[in-house]
Amino acid sequence: MIKKIATIGLILLMLGVAMGLAGFMTIDKAPTNTQLEPVKAGEYRTSRMYYVTGDVIIIANPGNDSGLIKYSQLSYVTSKNISQNAIKPSRSVTGGLEYSNLNSGTYVFVVFNSSKPSNMGFSLESSSEYRDIMIAYYAMISGVFIFIAGIIIIIIGLILKPKKKVPLKTVIRKNK
């Protein structure tokens, strides 16, 4: 019985590793652009993003003085008014922003910073690409939890002591 518990834990551990790696590799291969164009001292922009209804714009590590701007409004944006002119994200996630349900059109993400941000990335994903990325993300997170559960079950399987077997004769004698 104890070997069976440890074996189940080992299977869960391997399944967790496989799911976690598969999810991570899929997310890692998602297209991300890191090229920011310097406009003038302290101002950087992404390339133009042509948004179509249903797409999702993803910004990783956006920075403080930054925001998504409709291209036609770009000339009005300064470091002082970017917070008022920037489009509010649909969702804020750890280390990033997501923009969806926008009007079709051209958008640019603007960053005001003393130096060029080195770890910022952006991408424009179709709804199907975004769905695939989210499935991969959930697979990766599930894989981590299954991996941890596998470790715990292996430890339980190794720590448990086998039940002492009571000889059948002893049981029969006690019943008389």
Side-chain angles (χ1 to χ4, degrees), residues 10 16 43 45 54 58 61 67 69 71 73 80 82 84 86 89 93 119 122 125-126 131 134 141 150-151 169 176:
L10 184 61
E43 182 179 350
R45 295 182 194 160
I58 301 170
N61 303 313
I69 306 294
Y71 187 73
Q73 303 295 316
K80 292 180 173 48
I82 189 155
Q84 292 87 20
V93 293
N119 61 347
F122 61 97
E125 306 291 338
S126 69
R131 184 188 67 242
M134 291 312 294
I141 296 300
I151 289 174
K169 291 179 184 178
K176 287 186 181 181

Side-chain angles (χ1 to χ4, degrees), residues 24-170:
F24 177 77
M25 296 301 285
T26 302
I27 292 170
D28 194 42
K29 290 181 182 176
T32 302
N33 191 336
T34 58
Q35 298 300 315
L36 293 175
E37 302 166 4
V39 178
K40 54 187 170 188
E43 182 179 350
Y44 302 90
R45 295 182 194 160
T46 63
S47 55
R48 295 179 192 175
M49 294 181 267
Y50 301 99
Y51 182 88
V52 179
T53 303
D55 289 351
V56 178
I57 296 174
I58 301 170
I59 308 293
N61 303 313
N64 292 333
D65 291 332
S66 61
L68 186 68
I69 306 294
K70 188 134 175 106
Y71 187 73
S72 60
Q73 303 295 316
L74 196 55
S75 60
Y76 305 113
V77 177
T78 65
S79 61
K80 292 180 173 48
N81 70 6
I82 189 155
S83 60
Q84 292 87 20
N85 290 316
I87 297 168
K88 302 292 180 228
S90 305
R91 198 171 113 175
S92 292
V93 293
T94 304
L97 304 171
E98 292 179 8
Y99 297 89
S100 59
N101 301 323
L102 302 171
N103 294 325
S104 294
T106 306
Y107 293 87
V108 175
F109 196 81
V110 179
V111 178
F112 290 98
N113 200 357
S114 59
S115 63
K116 185 176 180 181
S118 60
N119 61 347
M120 194 198 119
F122 61 97
S123 66
L124 175 65
E125 306 291 338
S126 69
S127 58
S128 62
E129 290 171 330
Y130 180 73
R131 184 188 67 242
D132 293 344
I133 290 171
M134 291 312 294
I135 289 170
Y137 172 76
Y138 292 131
M140 182 180 75
I141 296 300
S142 298
V144 169
F145 285 118
I146 291 171
F147 175 81
I148 292 169
I151 289 174
I152 292 169
I153 292 173
I154 288 172
I155 291 170
I156 290 170
L158 296 175
I159 290 176
L160 282 178
K161 295 181 181 172
K163 291 183 181 178
K164 293 183 180 179
K165 293 184 180 180
V166 179
L168 188 57
K169 291 179 184 178
T170 311

